[in-house]
């Protein structure tokens, strides 16, 4: 995946679709009308944004919380710099991990450089998932924490300002 | 949680990615499900109304549409409401969670340019007098295939 800058037309498409496609028979035509380009170009540009990685996927986005996945656990792992690529690949391969990122280690406050999100319906299920990650990492993990979300204070999703 | 029948569950599980880029994508979903296009649209509208589908559309990789970082703060419990309100007022903040840790406030700051992200973090530090951990993405290991929903 290579980063490609958003040209002004891509940007208008992002703005017109980031809250969702309209639930009408021809949603891309509706977007095309709003953006002022042909529908074929909307579909081509969305396909290109998928290829370049700007768009991860296009489809129905379930709300974990509404479906009862109330336990959102941010698991954080202390992994040696030399092991991070291997550790990231192992954790990312677990089907229940919804995000898996390397972030900076900020010593002394923050030794954890590998982040993996898990979602479960109760605390027991969440801890079972954490145990699976720990097993996948084995000795690559030098320590970990699970930070459950106790309150959502703001959640608006990605919004590109118009 | 609303009661979901087997078609609803398939709509949620099997169509999180690969919505066809063709003129009538909901008709293509309808063919796979063996129901009509109008019913797919009506069900998606109902599931959206019930809140179990947040939207149908593209999921953007946040870090590519501009610059963003994950920020964390250790806020004394008695100041949590005040600091959360202050942070939420920034339009550049799109997620803010209270979490069970000494670093108890975790939020995402996103802006078109890195200097704008830095300016928001500096401003929050100055106004609250509390240090802000700046944890931007270094590498993304995840291949996003959607979320593996378990029905029981």
């Amino acid at each position: 995946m290579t980063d490609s800058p958003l040209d002004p037309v891509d940007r208008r498409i992002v703005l017109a679709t980031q809250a969702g496609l309209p639930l009408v028979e021809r949603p891309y035509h509706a977007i095309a009308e709003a953006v002022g380009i042909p529908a074929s170009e909307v579909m081509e540009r969305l396909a290109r944004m998928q290829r370049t990685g700007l768009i991860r996927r296009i489809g129905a986005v379930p709300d974990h919380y509404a479906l009862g996945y109330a336990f959102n656990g941010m698991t954080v792992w202390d992994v040696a710099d030399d092991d991070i690529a291997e550790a990231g690949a192992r954790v990312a391969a677990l089907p229940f991990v919804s995000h898996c990122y390397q972030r900076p280690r900020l010593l002394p406050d923050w030794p954890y450089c590998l982040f993996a999100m898990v979602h479960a319906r109760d605390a027991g299920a969440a801890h079972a998932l954490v145990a699976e990650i720990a097993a996948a990492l084995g000795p690559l993990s030098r320590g970990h924490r699970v930070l459950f979300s106790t309150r959502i204070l703001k959640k608006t999703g990605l919004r590109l300002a118009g | 949680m609303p009661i979901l029948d087997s078609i609803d569950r398939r709509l949620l599980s099997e169509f999180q990615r690969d919505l066809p880029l063709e003129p009538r994508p909901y008709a293509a979903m309808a063919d796979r499900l063996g129901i009509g296009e109008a019913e797919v649209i009506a069900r998606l509208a109902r599931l959206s109304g019930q809140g179990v589908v947040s939207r149908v559309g593209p999921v953007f990789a946040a870090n590519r549409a501009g610059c963003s970082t994950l920020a964390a703060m250790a806020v004394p419990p008695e100041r949590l409401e005040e600091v959360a309100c202050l942070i939420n007022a920034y339009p550049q903040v799109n997620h803010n969670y209270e979490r069970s840790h000494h670093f108890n406030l975790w939020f995402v700051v996103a802006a078109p340019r890195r200097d704008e992200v830095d300016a928001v973090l500096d401003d929050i530090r100055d106004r609250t007098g509390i240090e802000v951990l700046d944890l931007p993405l270094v590498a993304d290991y995840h291949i996003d295939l959607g979320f593996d929903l378990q029905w029981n």
Side-chain angles (χ1 to χ4, degrees):
Chain A
M1 291 194 293
T2 53
D3 279 24
S4 60
L6 280 180
D7 76 21
V9 176
D10 287 340
R11 194 177 166 82
R12 292 211 300 278
I13 292 175
V14 173
L15 284 170
T17 59
Q18 65 187 354
L21 296 169
L23 294 170
V24 298
E25 283 184 7
R26 296 175 185 271
Y28 304 118
H29 286 71
I31 298 298
E33 202 168 312
V35 173
I37 57 171
S40 56
E41 189 179 345
V42 170
M43 291 184 270
E44 284 160 17
R45 283 176 177 268
L46 287 171
R48 180 169 46 70
M49 286 189 258
Q50 268 195 296
R51 283 198 303 275
T52 59
L54 176 73
I55 293 177
R56 290 171 168 277
R57 56 192 158 94
I58 304 176
V61 182
D63 183 306
H64 300 142
Y65 291 92
L67 287 163
Y69 287 81
F71 281 76
N72 147 352
M74 184 173 76
T75 73
V76 296
W77 305 79
D78 176 7
V79 173
D81 292 346
D82 286 346
D83 293 332
I84 186 77
E86 169 66 19
R90 288 189 196 179
V91 175
L94 300 170
F96 56 82
V97 169
S98 70
H99 300 79
C100 182
Y101 297 136
Q102 182 190 354
R103 295 186 183 278
R105 192 194 311 278
L106 298 179
L107 296 173
D109 291 331
W110 191 257
Y112 310 104
C113 56
L114 185 65
F115 286 59
M117 296 297 307
V118 300
H119 305 267
R121 290 201 163 103
D122 55 59
H127 286 294
L129 297 178
V130 176
E132 278 194 57
I133 300 177
L137 286 175
L140 297 187
S141 168
R142 303 184 298 197
H144 74 275
R145 290 283 182 277
V146 185
L147 285 68
F148 286 111
S149 71
T150 43
R151 239 184 333 159
I152 303 176
L153 302 163
K154 184 175 186 181
K155 187 173 188 222
T156 54
L158 171 68
R159 288 290 180 270
L160 203 60
Chain B
M1 184 174 143
I3 293 170
L4 305 173
D5 69 15
S6 61
I7 298 281
D8 290 338
R9 292 177 177 200
R10 289 187 61 193
L11 276 170
L12 284 163
S13 294
E14 297 175 25
F15 296 93
Q16 292 181 33
R17 61 192 174 107
D18 303 329
L19 185 76
L21 288 166
E22 55 185 69
R24 295 175 71 166
Y26 305 122
M29 293 171 68
D31 286 346
R32 263 178 64 186
L33 290 165
I35 60 175
E37 180 187 28
E39 187 180 349
V40 167
I41 291 173
R43 281 177 180 264
L44 288 173
R46 173 174 50 76
L47 293 168
S48 299
Q50 290 171 327
V52 295
V53 168
S54 358
R55 64 185 186 281
V56 180
V59 175
F60 294 97
N63 54 310
R64 288 168 199 275
C67 282
S68 69
T69 194
L70 178 66
M73 296 172 78
V75 181
E78 68 277 10
R79 290 192 61 194
L80 196 70
E81 292 297 329
E82 165 219 331
V83 173
C85 281
L86 183 149
I87 289 168
N88 290 353
Y90 290 89
Q92 296 90 346
V93 171
N94 56 42
H95 286 75
N96 188 7
Y97 290 92
E98 182 188 2
R99 292 191 180 277
S100 54
H101 188 269
H102 168 64
F103 287 102
N104 54 355
L105 210 54
W106 291 79
F107 53 98
V108 174
V109 180
R113 295 200 329 243
R114 179 66 217 191
D115 56 0
E116 191 182 328
V117 172
D118 288 336
V120 169
L121 298 181
D122 287 343
D123 204 43
I124 292 171
R125 276 188 200 100
D126 287 349
R127 291 172 64 197
T128 61
I130 300 172
E131 188 47 49
V132 181
L133 294 189
D134 176 13
L135 298 165
L137 191 148
V138 176
D140 182 354
Y141 295 106
H142 189 54
I143 308 299
D144 190 352
L145 301 179
F147 184 66
D148 184 22
L149 289 168
Q150 304 292 324
W151 308 107
N152 32 38

